[in-house]
Amino acid sequence: MTSSEIVELRRALGQLRHCVGSLRTRYGDIAAVQRLANDVERMDIDAIELMELDSTPRPREAPRVEREVVVVPDTPYDPKLWHDADDEGLGGYRHT
């Protein structure tokens, strides 16, 4: 974001904060007003983080690694592969 965009964002958040204050005066501290106030505060924190990003050097991106695609067949396995294997789903040994 450019600094002018951040300034505009902070101005809009100030207006939102004012509107939420007016809602709190009118409706009291009900859950909906509390959620709106929390949302505005969270956006303000995020805006501050964006401002800090502009003042710190950005890390270089890690090179992309090509991954090999392994195709797993969907045909049933040979039941002999599982002979004498533990059946963990039933909590014990399966005797055949």
Side-chain angles (χ1 to χ4, degrees):
M1 292 182 91
T2 65
S3 59
S4 63
E5 290 171 322
I6 292 174
V7 169
E8 178 63 22
L9 176 61
R10 299 283 303 210
R11 187 190 61 73
L13 288 171
Q15 288 177 326
L16 276 171
R17 192 174 292 106
H18 176 74
C19 291
V20 171
S22 296
L23 290 171
R24 183 172 278 136
T25 301
R26 181 172 182 178
Y27 296 107
D29 208 21
I30 62 173
V33 174
Q34 289 176 351
R35 284 192 302 270
L36 287 170
N38 287 339
D39 291 344
V40 172
E41 177 148 349
R42 180 68 239 170
M43 286 187 285
D44 194 40
I45 291 169
D46 291 340
I48 291 169
E49 288 180 14
L50 287 174
M51 289 186 326
E52 291 171 355
L53 280 176
D54 280 347
S55 63
T56 58
R58 297 180 191 239
R60 295 187 328 199
E61 285 189 29
R64 293 183 182 242
V65 177
E66 293 293 324
R67 294 200 165 102
E68 179 184 353
V69 175
V70 178
V71 178
V72 178
D74 58 357
T75 57
Y77 288 107
D78 183 358
K80 294 177 194 169
L81 290 172
W82 306 111
H83 184 71
D84 290 333
D86 292 343
D87 192 345
E88 295 178 15
L90 298 176
Y93 293 102
R94 188 171 111 169
H95 301 290
T96 55

